[in-house]
C-alpha cells in the first residue's frame, strides 16, 4: 500500500481508499466519465470488479452481498443514464436499511449545470433515497469523502450513501492521505440505550402475563440474534418476526411464532391482538405489519427499541421508547432481568390453541403442483441452511410462511420498497458473499423478467445460485387482489400467452435449466439443482395458476378482518 | 400550532435543499425558512416556521436531526426567544394620502428606504404578527410589491 503523502491521481486514490475499507467486490459498469477509473482498474488485482448487465442489477447485487455478509456493497457506474439506472436499487436499500456505497461518475466539474452530454443531477435525484450523498469537487477531498461515506453507510441505522465523482477530479492528482479517524459533527447515533429506560422495560416485562417479542431487520443488521435467543429462551417469551426479521430467532424453536402482519400467521396476529406487553426490537410498525393502527396491539404496553429515533412514535405512539442498538438493548435487558417472568404457561398454551386452530397447511392434489409444496420441499432439502432470496409477490409471502429460517442473514428480500426484479441480482450478490451455504432464489415469472439480463452475469462468473422460478403464469399477487377486492377484473395480470419458454431462455443464456410440473418431478428437480454447483441452475416450476396466499389481513384492516381461506367468490358480496 | 425551529447546519452547498426536500418528501408544512452564515463561516443558522401538532413537530425535529448536515436543532417555541422579520414594501404615493402614510410609517417604526415621484419603499422590522398587521393596514393605500424575509429567531441571552 502506498504510504501517506504519495502523489496519486483521483482514480488511484479511489482504489486505494477501497483497499483500506477492505472492499472485495465492486459491482459496476463502465462509461465515459469513468474511463480513467477503468484504466486504473485494468491493473488492480486485489479487488474484483463484477461486470453486470444493467446498473440496476449492480445495486441489487451490492445489496444482496451486503445483507448476506453485513459488509457494505459497492457500486460503480457512469454518469447520466448509468447513474439514473441505480435509482430503484438505491431506494430499495434505503427502505430496507442496507449498507451500500454507490460511486457515480460525473461530467467534468466545469460542465456541471450546462446540460452536458450524459449529465444528470444524481445528487439532487437521490437526496431523499440516500442516507447522505456527496459531490466531490476537489481531488483533495476524495479520500476523506470516501472515508465518511463508508462510516455513514455502516454506522447507526445502515443505508446507502452516494458519491458523485466528476471526471476532472478523477484525473487530477494530489498527495494521498488516508485519515485515521473520521468525525462527522452532524452524525452521532445513539448506540447505547439509556439504562433507566431498560430497567423500566425490565420492570414492565417482569409483571407481564402475556408478553410478546416483535422483532425486525434491526436485530439482523446489529447481529443481535444471539442476544435475542438468550433473552427469549431464558424468559420463555414468544417471538414474532417481520419479513426482514425472519431468522433472527430460529424458526424451528417452539417459541418462534413465524411472521406477523398482512400475511403473517394466525397465531402471531392473535398474539399481537391479545398481548399485554409488546417488546418491539429493530422493527418500525410498518403498515404491512400493523394493518389498522388503532386496533394494533390494543391492550399492550408497548416498548420500542430502535436505533433510529425517527422510527419511534412515527406510526404508533408507544409507552416506552428506547433509542439504541438492538444488540445493546437485548444484552442490557437480559442482564436487567435476573429472575424469570412467572407463570407464562397459560399464555403459551393459549397461543398453542391458536396455532392448532388455524395452522399453515396445504393439500397436494394429484397431478398438481403447489408453490407451498415447492418451498416446503426446498426448506426440507436444505435443512433450513440456505441463504434464501426472493423476488416480490405471492411466492415471497409463501416463502415467509413455508421456509423454516433457522439462522440470521438467511432471507434477503425487498420488503420496504417491494421491488420486482430484486431477486435475481440480489441472489448473485449474496452468492459472492457467502460461499459455504447454498443460495436459493424464489422468483415469480413476472419479476424474473425485470432483471433477467443478470442471468448472463451469473453464468459468466459461474455463480451456483438455484433459481426456483415459481411460474404461475400470472402477476399472482395483483391477481389475488383483483379476485378479492376488484370484482375479479383480471386486468393485465395474465401472462400465460406472453411468457417465454423459460427453460429455453435460460439455456440460451448458457444456464442449466429443468422443468417440474408435479410433486415428483419437483422433488427430483430440487435435488438435482441443489447438487449442481458448476454455475446457476433454473427450475421452471409450473405451479397452480390461481392459488392465493392466506391468511390475509386486508390492507388497512384489523386482525378481526383476517381472511383465512378462499371463500367461494360467488358468495362474496 | 405554529412552531419556530432554529437549526444550526453545515455551511455547505445543498444543505438548504436537503432540509426543504425533507419537508416536502414527508409532507410537513413549511411556512417560512431563512438561512444565513453564522459568526463561524463553517456554519449557517436556519430559522424554520412550521405548523403541526406535538406528534408532527416531534417528527419534524427528529427528521431534521437525522440529516447529516444538521448539527443542532432547537424548537424555540416554548423557550425565551426573539423573533424578527423584515418587510420591504413599495406603495403608491399620492399627494392626498402622503401625510397619512408617513404617520403610519412612524406608528410601525418603519423606515423610508426609497422615495420617487409616485412611489415610496419602506422597511419594517418586527415579529411576523406585526408584519401581518402592517400589511393589512397599508393595503388600502395600494401596495405595489412586497417582500418578506421570513422569520429569523434566536435564544434570548442569559
Ligand atoms: C417494479 C414493480 N412493479 C410493479 C409491482 C407491483 N406488483 C407487486 S406483486 C406483482 C406481481 C408479481 O408477479 P410475479 O413476479 O409473477 O410473482 P407472483 O405474485 O405471481 O408470485 C406486481 C406487479 C412491484 N411490486 N414492483
Ligand atoms: Mg407469477
Amino acid at each position: 500500500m502506498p504510504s501517506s503523502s504519495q502523489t496519486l491521481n483521483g482514480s488511484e486514490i479511489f482504489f486505494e481508499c477501497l483497499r483500506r475499507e477492505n472492499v472485495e467486490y465492486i459491482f459496476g459498469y463502465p462509461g465515459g466519465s469513468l474511463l480513467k477509473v477503468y484504466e486504473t482498474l485494468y491493473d488492480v488485482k486485489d479487488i474484483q470488479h463484477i461486470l453486470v448487465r444493467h446498473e440496476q442489477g449492480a445495486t441489487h447485487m451490492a445489496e444482496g452481498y451486503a445483507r448476506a455478509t453485513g459488509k457494505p456493497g459497492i457500486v460503480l457506474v457512469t454518469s447520466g443514464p448509468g447513474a439514473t439506472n441505480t435509482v430503484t436499487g438505491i431506494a430499495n436499500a434505503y427502505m430496507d436499511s442496507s449498507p451500500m456505497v454507490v460511486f457515480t461518475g460525473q461530467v467534468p466539474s466545469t460542465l456541471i449545470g450546462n446540460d452536458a452530454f450524459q449529465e444528470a443531477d444524481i445528487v439532487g435525484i437521490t437526496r431523499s433515497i440516500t442516507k447522505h450523498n456527496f459531490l466531490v469537487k476537489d481531488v483533495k477531498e476524495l479520500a476523506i469523502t470516501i472515508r465518511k461515506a463508508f462510516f455513514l453507510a455502516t454506522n447507526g441505522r445502515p443505508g446507502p450513501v452516494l458519491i458523485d465523482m466528476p471526471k476532472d477530479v478523477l484525473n487530477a492528482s494530489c498527495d494521498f492521505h488516508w485519515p485515521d479517524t473520521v468525525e462527522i459533527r452532524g452524525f452521532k447515533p445513539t448506540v447505547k440505550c439509556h439504562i433507566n429506560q431498560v430497567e423500566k422495560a425490565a420492570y414492565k416485562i417482569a409483571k407481564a402475563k402475556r408478553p410478546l417479542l416483535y422483532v425486525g431487520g434491526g436485530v439482523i443488521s446489529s447481529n443481535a440474534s444471539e442476544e435475542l435467543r438468550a433473552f427469549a429462551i431464558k424468559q420463555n417469551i414468544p417471538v414474532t418476526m417481520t419479513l426482514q426479521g425472519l431468522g433472527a430467532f430460529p424458526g424451528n424453536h417452539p417459541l418462534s411464532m413465524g411472521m406477523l402482519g398482512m400475511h403473517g400467521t394466525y397465531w402471531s396476529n392473535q398474539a399481537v391482538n391479545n398481548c399485554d406487553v409488546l417488546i418491539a426490537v429493530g422493527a418500525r410498525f410498518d403498515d404491512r405489519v400493523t394493518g389498522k393502527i388503532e386496533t394494533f396491539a390494543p391492550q399492550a404496553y408497548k416498548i420500542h427499541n430502535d436505533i433510529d429515533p425517527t422510527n419511534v412514535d412515527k406510526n404508533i405512539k408507544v409507552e416506552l421508547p428506547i433509542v439504541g442498538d438492538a444488540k445493546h438493548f437485548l444484552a442490557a435487558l437480559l442482564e436487567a432481568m435476573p429472575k424469570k417472568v412467572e407463570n407464562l404457561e397459560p399464555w403459551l398454551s393459549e397461543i398453542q390453541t391458536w396455532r392448532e386452530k388455524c395452522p399453515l397447511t396445504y393439500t397436494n392434489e394429484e397431478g398438481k403442483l403447489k408453490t407451498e409444496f415447492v418451498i416446503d420441499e426446498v426448506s426440507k432439502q436444505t435443512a433450513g441452511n440456505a441463504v434464501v432470496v426472493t423476488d416480490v409477490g405471492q411466492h415471497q409471502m409463501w416463502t415467509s410462511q413455508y421456509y423454516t429460517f433457522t439462522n440470521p442473514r438467511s432471507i434477503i428480500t425487498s420488503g420496504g420498497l417491494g421491488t420486482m426484479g430484486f431477486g435475481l441480482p440480489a441472489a448473485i450478490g449474496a452468492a459472492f458473499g457467502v460461499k459455504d451455504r447454498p443460495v436459493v432464489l424464489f422468483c415469480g415469472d413476472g419479476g424474473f423478467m425485470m432483471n433477467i439480463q443478470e442471468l448472463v452475469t451469473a453464468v459468466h462468473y459461474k455463480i451456483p445460485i438455484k433459481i426456483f422460478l415459481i411460474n404461475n403464469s400470472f402477476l399472482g399477487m395483483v391477481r389475488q387482489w383483483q379476485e378479492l377486492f376488484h370484482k375479479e377484473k383480471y386486468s393485465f395480470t395474465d401472462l400465460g400467452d406472453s411468457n417465454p419458454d423459460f427453460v429455453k431462455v435460460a439455456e440460451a443464456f448458457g444456464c442449466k435449466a429443468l422443468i417440474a410440473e408435479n410433486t415428483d418431478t419437483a422433488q427430483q428437480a430440487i435435488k438435482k439443482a441443489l447438487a449442481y454447483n458448476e454455475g446457476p441452475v433454473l427450475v421452471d416450476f409450473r405451479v397452480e395458476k390461481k392459488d392465493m396466499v392466506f391468511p390475509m389481513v386486508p390492507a388497512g384492516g384489523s386482525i378481526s378482518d383476517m381472511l383465512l381461506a378462499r371463500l367461494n367468490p360467488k358468495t362474496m358480496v | 400550532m405554529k412552531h419556530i425551529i432554529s437549526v444550526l447546519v453545515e455551511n455547505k452547498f445543498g444543505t438548504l435543499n436537503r432540509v426543504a426536500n425533507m419537508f416536502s418528501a414527508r409532507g410537513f408544512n413549511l411556512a417560512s425558512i431563512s438561512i444565513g452564515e453564522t459568526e463561524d463561516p463553517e456554519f449557517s443558522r436556519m430559522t424554520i416556521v412550521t405548523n403541526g401538532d406535538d406528534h408532527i413537530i416531534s417528527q419534524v425535529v427528529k427528521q431534521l436531526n437525522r440529516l447529516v448536515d444538521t448539527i443542532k436543532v432547537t424548537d424555540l417555541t416554548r423557550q425565551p426567544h426573539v423573533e424578527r422579520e423584515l418587510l420591504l414594501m413599495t406603495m403608491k404615493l399620492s399627494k392626498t394620502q402622503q401625510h397619512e402614510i408617513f404617520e403610519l410609517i412612524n406608528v410601525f417604526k418603519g423606515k423610508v428606504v426609497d422615495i420617487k415621484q409616485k412611489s415610496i419603499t419602506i422597511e419594517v422590522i418586527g415579529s411576523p404578527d406585526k408584519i401581518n398587521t402592517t400589511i393589512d393596514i397599508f393595503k388600502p393605500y395600494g401596495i405595489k410589491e412586497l417582500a418578506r424575509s421570513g422569520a429569523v429567531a434566536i435564544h434570548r441571552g442569559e
Side-chain angles (χ1 to χ4, degrees):
Chain A
M1 273 191 199
S3 57
S4 284
S5 285
Q6 184 179 345
T7 304
L8 300 176
N9 68 37
S11 304
E12 291 162 341
I13 290 173
F14 170 76
F15 287 106
E16 212 37 65
C17 293
L18 295 198
R19 266 182 206 115
R20 284 166 209 245
E21 294 289 356
N22 301 313
V23 170
E24 298 174 282
Y25 297 105
I26 299 171
F27 301 96
Y29 205 88
S33 65
L34 287 181
L35 281 164
K36 191 74 184 172
V37 174
Y38 277 82
E39 177 194 319
T40 310
L41 176 61
Y42 196 81
D43 297 312
V44 170
K45 299 285 173 260
D46 53 343
I47 298 175
Q48 213 190 330
H49 175 276
I50 309 303
L51 179 68
V52 300
R53 294 305 157 105
H54 186 293
E55 290 87 350
Q56 183 186 355
T59 55
H60 296 325
M61 273 180 220
E63 184 169 357
Y65 172 85
R67 303 252 304 256
T69 62
K71 295 186 247 177
I74 311 304
V75 176
L76 176 64
V77 300
T78 192
S79 68
T84 54
N85 273 348
T86 65
V87 167
T88 302
I90 294 173
N92 195 84
Y94 186 66
M95 290 289 269
D96 285 340
S97 311
S98 301
M100 188 153 110
V101 183
V102 178
F103 294 93
T104 49
Q106 183 53 283
V107 302
S109 48
T110 47
L111 293 183
I112 290 179
N114 290 5
D115 301 324
F117 177 63
Q118 295 196 325
E119 179 183 358
D121 171 22
I122 198 63
V123 169
I125 290 169
T126 60
R127 234 165 231 155
S128 60
I129 51 168
T130 50
K131 208 170 151 183
H132 197 59
N133 58 19
F134 301 91
L135 168 66
V136 183
K137 286 176 159 177
D138 181 344
V139 67
K140 293 193 201 79
E141 293 291 313
L142 186 57
I144 181 69
T145 306
I146 294 176
R147 184 91 161 89
K148 281 183 184 170
F150 275 82
F151 183 79
L152 285 169
T154 54
N155 282 277
R157 180 181 182 180
V161 178
L162 180 141
I163 302 185
D164 204 18
M165 307 184 295
K167 193 168 180 167
D168 52 328
V169 170
L170 293 166
N171 281 303
S173 296
C174 72
D175 281 353
F176 173 67
H177 173 69
W178 181 246
D180 293 329
T181 55
V182 58
E183 156 83 18
I184 303 170
R185 285 183 289 227
F187 181 72
K188 301 264 156 33
T190 307
V191 175
K192 286 200 172 142
C193 306
H194 208 293
I195 200 68
N196 291 352
Q197 298 288 88
V198 176
E199 274 164 11
K200 215 165 156 187
Y203 175 78
K204 279 287 172 186
I205 299 166
K207 293 204 304 188
K209 299 268 172 293
R210 300 183 307 280
L212 179 66
L213 277 154
Y214 146 48
V215 308
V219 173
I220 309 272
S221 59
S222 80
N223 298 315
S225 293
E226 255 172 57
E227 287 77 4
L228 172 67
R229 201 178 311 205
F231 175 74
I233 293 173
K234 177 172 173 197
Q235 295 297 347
N236 215 17
I237 298 176
V239 186
T240 182
M241 290 163 266
T242 68
L243 183 60
Q244 302 298 14
L246 289 169
F249 189 79
N252 53 1
H253 191 282
L255 287 170
S256 167
M257 316 262 297
M259 190 170 79
L260 80 166
M262 184 176 276
H263 289 294
T265 58
Y266 175 77
W267 55 94
S268 274
N269 287 333
Q270 288 300 340
V272 170
N273 214 18
N274 288 282
C275 64
D276 64 353
V277 174
L278 183 72
I279 313 150
V281 189
R284 59 189 175 92
F285 295 89
D286 172 74
D287 56 89
R288 284 300 187 258
V289 161
T290 62
K292 190 175 179 187
I293 204 86
E294 294 78 19
T295 56
F296 181 76
Q299 309 167 32
Y301 179 89
K302 298 177 194 74
I303 301 167
H304 187 192
N305 162 245
D306 201 293
I307 186 98
D308 183 349
T310 65
N311 274 346
V312 176
D313 282 341
K314 179 174 67 182
N315 296 335
I316 200 163
K317 184 105 189 96
V318 298
E319 279 72 22
L320 185 59
I322 307 181
V323 173
D325 186 69
K327 195 179 178 77
H328 180 264
F329 171 67
L330 288 164
L333 196 57
L334 183 70
E335 207 168 295
M337 294 186 67
K339 282 210 302 219
K340 271 188 78 163
V341 184
E342 282 168 31
N343 199 20
L344 293 180
E345 280 67 32
W347 172 231
L348 294 174
S349 73
E350 202 177 352
I351 291 173
Q352 188 56 31
T353 319
W354 290 321
R355 226 184 249 271
E356 284 158 16
K357 186 174 164 204
C358 289
L360 283 174
T361 50
Y362 61 92
T363 325
N364 285 323
E365 283 171 57
E366 184 62 33
K368 291 183 176 170
L369 182 58
K370 292 185 81 75
T371 305
E372 295 96 311
F373 172 80
V374 174
I375 293 165
D376 196 12
E377 188 60 29
V378 173
S379 184
K380 285 178 184 143
Q381 289 199 26
T382 56
N385 183 43
V387 174
V388 177
V389 183
T390 81
D391 210 76
V392 170
Q394 289 183 312
H395 64 279
Q396 178 187 31
M397 292 299 111
W398 274 315
T399 303
S400 75
Q401 297 178 336
Y402 289 94
Y403 194 93
T404 307
F405 294 93
T406 50
N407 295 295
R409 299 199 184 281
S410 295
I411 184 164
I412 299 175
T413 188
S414 170
L417 199 66
T419 309
M420 285 172 72
F422 171 82
L424 175 62
I428 298 170
F432 275 110
V434 175
K435 307 244 158 72
D436 56 349
R437 294 165 68 191
V439 176
V440 161
L441 166 67
F442 292 110
C443 192
D445 49 324
F448 186 57
M449 293 302 292
M450 285 208 177
N451 271 315
I452 193 167
Q453 77 285 347
E454 299 310 331
L455 197 50
V456 181
T457 313
V459 169
H460 176 67
Y461 290 98
K462 300 193 170 60
I463 304 300
I465 52 170
K466 326 296 169 197
I467 303 166
F468 293 141
L469 187 77
I470 304 300
N471 185 356
N472 56 5
S473 300
F474 270 102
L475 297 175
M477 186 54 93
V478 180
R479 190 204 162 281
Q480 172 162 350
W481 285 53
Q482 289 172 332
E483 176 170 341
L484 291 172
F485 314 115
H486 294 275
K487 307 180 192 134
E488 298 176 68
K489 307 270 184 209
Y490 299 117
S491 199
F492 300 97
T493 46
D494 188 345
L495 305 177
D497 297 336
S498 49
N499 265 342
D501 178 332
F502 286 105
V503 169
K504 275 194 191 151
V505 168
E507 283 170 353
F509 277 93
C511 174
K512 184 181 166 74
L514 306 163
I515 187 165
E517 287 170 304
N518 58 44
T519 50
D520 286 346
T521 49
Q523 240 164 354
Q524 288 310 312
I526 293 166
K527 204 165 169 190
K528 272 191 203 150
L530 288 171
Y532 179 77
N533 284 310
E534 319 300 303
V537 48
L538 176 142
V539 184
D540 181 0
F541 291 101
R542 302 292 180 89
V543 297
E544 276 303 280
K545 296 186 176 178
K546 298 176 180 175
D547 279 358
M548 293 204 274
V549 187
F550 292 109
M552 177 178 197
V553 181
S558 305
I559 305 302
S560 52
D561 304 324
M562 196 180 334
L563 308 173
L564 296 171
R566 184 187 231 134
L567 301 169
N568 181 350
K570 301 284 170 308
T571 66
M572 274 179 60
V573 202
Chain B
M1 180 186 155
K2 179 191 135 179
H3 279 251
I4 183 149
I5 298 171
S6 171
V7 192
L8 189 69
V9 298
E10 298 276 353
N11 185 7
K12 274 190 204 154
F13 142 105
T15 304
L16 177 61
N17 183 296
R18 277 177 211 283
V19 170
N21 199 47
M22 186 280 284
F23 272 77
S24 73
R26 299 205 176 258
F28 298 141
N29 164 282
L30 186 56
S32 80
I33 186 165
S34 65
I35 182 168
E37 214 173 87
T38 65
E39 72 284 3
D40 180 344
E42 282 198 29
F43 304 115
S44 297
R45 184 171 300 284
M46 275 185 198
T47 306
I48 293 170
V49 178
T50 178
N51 281 289
D53 59 23
D54 287 354
H55 169 73
I56 290 173
I57 297 300
S58 115
Q59 271 295 315
V60 167
V61 170
K62 287 197 270 190
Q63 292 288 355
L64 280 168
N65 265 313
R66 189 157 91 135
L67 297 173
V68 173
D69 282 343
T70 57
I71 317 259
K72 193 162 190 282
V73 182
T74 318
D75 184 354
L76 293 174
T77 317
R78 295 191 177 103
Q79 299 183 22
H81 68 275
V82 193
E83 183 185 356
R84 289 290 180 269
E85 185 170 2
L86 167 69
L87 168 71
L88 291 174
M89 183 159 69
T90 303
M91 281 173 311
K92 289 186 196 144
L93 196 60
S94 66
K95 283 261 157 9
T96 50
Q97 290 179 327
Q98 197 168 322
H99 193 68
E100 276 175 61
I101 288 180
F102 279 110
E103 288 267 278
L104 283 172
I105 292 172
N106 272 335
V107 171
F108 286 99
K109 297 201 172 69
K111 261 193 206 160
V112 176
V113 291
D114 195 18
I115 188 154
K116 294 269 156 60
Q117 281 273 304
K118 288 182 185 154
S119 71
I120 180 169
T121 303
I122 66 166
E123 82 172 39
V124 178
I125 292 171
S127 69
D129 277 349
K130 175 180 164 186
I131 301 296
N132 288 340
T133 319
T134 314
I135 295 169
D136 285 347
I137 299 289
F138 278 97
K139 224 176 227 161
Y141 299 94
I143 297 172
K144 293 173 90 170
E145 202 177 317
L146 73 76
R148 302 175 64 153
S149 65
V152 291
I154 195 165
H155 258 292
R156 281 185 192 276
E158 313 252 298

